[in-house]
Amino acid sequence: RGWGFEVTVPQKVSCSLEGPDQGKKISEWVAMGIRRVGTKAFPARELKAEGFLLMPAGRSGPAFIVTPNFYVLKEYNTSDLYALFIGHGADRIAHGDSNFAGSWGPVGGLHRSDIATLQRALEAEGYDVGSADGLPGFKTRRSIGSWQAKNGRAATCFPDADLLAVLK
């Protein structure tokens, strides 16, 4: 199996479904409206296999359905972005030059200490952010999305200055 597939995620599918502990058969993701980018379908052999939603920039960047092989890449370096770019780089070598279809939106602006403050505030409200380390990993991203949805906000699943100001 490959490491994963770039996908489009409809707004009706919560970005808080991200994570290696929330896997579904790829056919289930498809039934929810998730599609591969472009006109490609998922390979038939993949539809019965487990896949995991990955949205490293929340709604502000490309999204992926990754396979367990993505997490093998993370055994060397636990960063989602590291594993993503190693897998993507391997695809580019094997299949030619192809950029992500999704663009990376505004994901900067906060210091690591700001994100740690946000994480501590979410922890105080009972959310599992992994740890208050200032890194927006999948547990932090999905906790943000869950908090946003619970509080009547559009779920972006990524930290920003407005969210920090509200939760501080």
Side-chain angles (χ1 to χ4, degrees):
R1 295 183 76 183
W3 65 271
F5 307 91
E6 187 177 0
V7 297
T8 57
V9 179
Q11 288 296 320
K12 68 180 181 174
V13 176
S14 175
C15 51
S16 64
L17 293 175
E18 180 181 8
D21 55 347
Q22 299 193 91
K24 299 180 184 312
K25 289 181 182 176
I26 291 179
S27 62
E28 293 176 61
W29 292 115
V30 170
M32 295 170 73
I34 292 177
R35 302 286 183 263
R36 280 185 72 182
V37 297
T39 58
K40 295 179 182 176
F42 287 99
R45 69 183 181 283
E46 291 288 349
L47 292 173
K48 293 180 183 177
E50 189 172 36
F52 311 89
L53 182 62
L54 173 70
M55 297 180 78
R59 294 269 179 200
S60 293
F64 306 88
I65 293 295
V66 297
T67 73
N69 284 341
F70 176 81
Y71 297 101
V72 171
L73 294 172
K74 286 187 67 169
E75 288 177 12
Y76 176 77
N77 181 322
T78 61
S79 166
D80 288 334
L81 291 178
Y82 168 83
L84 176 62
F85 288 110
I86 292 297
H88 182 65
D91 284 350
R92 290 180 78 166
I93 291 167
H95 308 293
D97 187 14
S98 176
N99 291 324
F100 293 129
S103 60
W104 297 88
V107 293
L110 293 181
H111 297 286
R112 191 169 173 176
S113 60
D114 295 329
I115 296 171
T117 298
L118 179 67
Q119 289 168 321
R120 285 189 291 278
L122 287 166
E123 283 178 328
E125 292 196 24
Y127 291 91
D128 178 9
V129 298
S131 66
D133 59 4
L135 300 172
F138 78 89
K139 286 184 177 182
T140 295
R141 295 189 302 264
R142 73 180 182 199
S143 292
I144 289 169
S146 295
W147 184 92
Q148 290 169 320
K150 180 180 174 185
N151 289 280
R153 295 170 172 261
T156 65
C157 293
F158 205 79
D160 60 36
D162 179 55
L163 184 63
L164 178 64
V166 170
L167 283 170
K168 214 169 184 183

